[in-house]
Structures are given as structure tokens and as C-alpha cells.
Amino acid sequence: MHKDFLDIIDYTPEELLALLDLAVELKKEYQEGGNQPTLKGKVLAMIFQKPSLRTRVSFDMGMRHLGGDALYLSPNEIGLGKRESIADIARVLSGMVHGIMARVFEHQHVLELAKWASIPVINGLSDYSHPCQAMADIMTVYEEFGKIKDVNITYVGDGNNVAVSLMQIAAKLGANFTIANPVDYDMPAQAIETVKPIAAASGSKLTFLRDPHEAVHGAQVIYTDTWTSMGQEEESAKRELVFPPYQVNDQLVAEANPEVIVMHCLPAHRNQEITDEVADGPHSRLFPQAHNRLHAQKAILQTLLGEK
Ligand code: CP
Ligand code: NVA
């Protein structure tokens, strides 16, 4: 296992499945009365350069469930790369806490933290990827279908950080991944190229489309995310003109497999990328998916910070 949890692509399918098994076990244990204090005395520093509800609360509560503690470091507090260099922050924290979770703008910044820290660093979302989200997402798919391999996952919308990590985990674990996104909103070409041989090895079928209707045909999972990610706010008016055909609404859901589930990493911009009817309707798994962040991340924390 790596020291850090930076990207899904860094892990073998076996390692990812071991994390998932542990997540399922920790969820059951928690629901049956509580987790063992495997991280007693351990502290996670949480660096946030962007806002958060789920990531902040699930990492903080996850550490508490495992008997540890978490420190929240707000955007203005440490001035990542401004008040102090990333290399210095990483080396100071390495002598004071047991792990770092960082939500950053530039992906390079989380890589740099990991390079200089002697303790584990977890990517809590960067402009490029959101691997913790993908772990909770695939856990939700597994709970729903009892398997991951051959499940048809269709992502509709912006080729963003959430889409990249979802594609990577689908490719690693043999789920089929289809994306429909507008021209100029493709996932980074390098992310697509690096995942192709991985998908070929696992038997995962990757499909890249423009038409959301074609994309949802046969879908067992429809996934969407905001049209404007954090840090892109000045583009939102432009994006709101381009993305409406990609809205996940009752009509689009009706074109998928009858048992389709709908997922969204949240926060949702209701009645933009997803309608209220769908978000609150029978196909929605939005809230169990959000709750799984807790257990998926506890598996990551216990694996990286726990006794070896
Ligand atoms: N899905 C997710 O990461 O949510 P937050 O931005 O609220 O942490
Ligand atoms: N793509 C979104 C995900 C938020 C959890 C963003 O980066 O803002």
C-alpha cells in the first residue's frame, strides 16, 4: 500500500477491493454499536482551500469513530504556498500530527504535500480528482447491485474531477463507464489515455459520447455533478447556456434501465444538473452515497494511519 491516498490510479484493483471490504466491515461494525478505537491518540490535520460539508464532517467524524481526532485548518489560516511554502507546512505537520487530508485547487499542491510529508497525505479533492468520493461511490454501487464488475455507470455532465475519479475506479474494477459531456468539457486527455489500458485489463468498457440520451441507454447508474466546480465561478453564466441538455430529469431517467439508480456527489444545484423530482425520487441514492463517505474514508484512514 502507498504512504498516501492521492489518486485511484495509484492503487491496484486488489488494494481497492481490500479498502472496499474494510469499508463495508467498518460500516456494519459502526451500525452494530460502534467501531474499535484503532486510531486512538492519532490526529488528522484537515487543510481546506475550498468550502466543504461532506468531506469535512465525514473525515472529522470518521476519526472520532476510530478513537482519534481531527484538526480543521481553514483557507485563511495556514496560507498554503502563500504564508508558508507547501514543503515547510508538510514538514512541520509531519512532526505534530499523524496524517494530512488536503482539499486544494491545484492537484500539484497535494502531490507536493505528499512529497515533503513523512506522514500519509489524503487528497480530499483537487481540480483534477476526487478519489475519496469515488471510493464512496463504488461502495454505493456495490451495496446496490452486489457487484461492481459489468455494472453500467453513465456520467452525464462536466468532465470534471469527480468524473475522472469515477472513470478510474470503474476501469480498475471492471465496471463499464460511459460519459456524455458537451464539446469543450471533456475530461483531461491524459486521464483518458492512462485509463484505457487499465480498462482493457479489467474488461471495463469505456464510451465517450456527446448525446446524454444515447449515453443513458442501458445505464444501471446515472451520475451527475455540478456544471460549475469550485474555482470556476466566473464561468458559470457561460456554462449555464451549454449544459441544460445534460440535465438529469425524469425524462432522461426513464430512458435508462428500469432499475437505474441516480447518484450525485453533492452539493447539488437543484433544477440545474438534477431536478428535485429525480433527486428526491425513487431512483435517487444521493444520501446513502453521501453517508458512505464516512465509512469509505474510515477504511482509508485505518489503512494509512493505523498500526501496520
Ligand atoms: N462531495 C463532496 O466532496 O462534498 P463537499 O464539497 O461538501 O465536501
Ligand atoms: N466538481 C465539484 C465537486 C464538489 C464536491 C467541485 O469541484 O466543486
Side-chain angles (χ1 to χ4, degrees), residues 25-27 29-30 33-38 62 65-66 295 298:
E25 193 183 309
L26 288 169
K27 181 173 180 174
E29 185 182 73
Y30 177 70
N35 294 126
Q36 296 301 312
T38 52
H65 287 183
L66 299 174
H295 309 291
K298 282 192 294 196

Side-chain angles (χ1 to χ4, degrees), residues 29-182:
E29 185 182 73
Y30 177 70
Q31 289 174 337
E32 286 173 357
N35 294 126
Q36 296 301 312
T38 52
L39 295 185
K40 192 169 187 313
K42 301 276 168 97
V43 176
L44 179 76
M46 306 191 296
I47 298 174
F48 279 96
Q49 299 292 107
K50 296 173 176 173
S52 170
L53 171 67
R54 280 145 292 273
T55 305
R56 179 178 176 179
V57 176
S58 57
F59 269 106
D60 193 332
M61 290 309 297
M63 284 301 291
R64 294 187 206 196
H65 287 183
L66 299 174
D69 217 332
L71 281 178
Y72 172 70
L73 301 167
S74 72
N76 298 328
E77 217 147 11
I78 60 172
L80 195 78
K82 295 195 179 81
R83 180 173 183 267
E84 196 164 1
S85 77
I86 292 176
D88 287 356
I89 290 171
R91 286 176 289 181
V92 169
L93 286 175
S94 293
M96 292 182 170
V97 296
H98 306 91
I100 301 170
M101 191 285 303
R103 166 166 286 192
V104 297
F105 285 92
E106 288 173 49
H107 189 64
Q108 192 54 36
H109 289 175
V110 76
L111 300 182
E112 209 172 321
L113 273 172
K115 177 180 159 199
W116 289 98
S118 58
I119 55 177
V121 173
I122 299 170
N123 176 5
L125 180 147
S126 71
D127 284 358
Y128 176 66
S129 61
H130 197 0
C132 295
Q133 181 68 53
M135 292 302 295
D137 296 343
I138 214 70
M139 181 180 176
T140 309
V141 169
Y142 177 71
E143 287 178 335
E144 187 70 30
F145 299 101
K147 63 172 190 171
I148 296 166
K149 203 166 163 36
D150 301 327
V151 174
N152 295 327
I153 301 175
T154 292
Y155 180 100
V156 177
D158 186 22
N160 62 17
N161 43 9
V162 168
V164 165
S165 292
L166 187 67
M167 172 179 70
Q168 291 176 338
I169 205 154
K172 287 273 179 182
L173 300 181
N176 299 319
F177 179 82
T178 300
I179 183 168
N181 61 274

Side-chain angles (χ1 to χ4, degrees), residues 278-297:
V278 173
D280 301 325
H283 298 281
S284 171
R285 296 296 180 275
L286 270 51
F287 299 105
Q289 176 189 359
H291 298 156
N292 277 340
R293 292 288 302 277
L294 197 50
H295 309 291
Q297 289 162 196

